[in-house]
Amino acid sequence: IIHLKRFVAESSSIEKDNTFVRFPFELDLSQWLPGPPAKGEQYRLYAVVNHSGSLSYGHYTAYCKVGEGADRKWYLFNDARVTPASESDVVSQEAYLLFYERL
């Protein structure tokens, strides 16, 4: 799980940081681990929690891969509504939490 820090304390207030963060769908951690490459260093994105709005008023949604194996598809979960989504929808400036699974 990777948490993108979206709320920043400045002076006496807390503001939301809407910086666009481009994150990978495939994550390779081997360059940050000592020794020869080993199994367990490759990860795939399977869910993203989004936050829209401000600190005082906001809304959470999530993109998640649903299904089994290579047939898994992206869906947008928005309260009681679930709709198909494309991979291009998943990376946005509203991304807040990233969930990766080990390959």
Side-chain angles (χ1 to χ4, degrees), residues 59-97:
H59 182 68
Y60 290 91
T61 60
Y63 287 104
C64 300
K65 280 191 130 178
V66 177
E68 297 293 327
D71 293 333
R72 293 167 77 182
K73 305 283 187 220
W74 284 102
Y75 287 87
L76 172 62
F77 292 79
N78 187 353
D79 293 333
R81 190 171 192 198
V82 178
T83 55
S86 67
E87 195 171 89
S88 63
D89 296 327
V90 175
V91 179
S92 76
Q93 71 182 50
E94 294 180 343
Y96 185 52
L97 294 171

Side-chain angles (χ1 to χ4, degrees), residues 30-52:
S30 62
Q31 64 184 350
W32 291 286
L33 299 173
K39 186 173 172 71
E41 299 168 347
Q42 307 292 319
Y43 294 82
R44 179 183 306 123
L45 185 71
Y46 73 90
V48 177
V49 174
N50 303 292
H51 179 271
S52 58

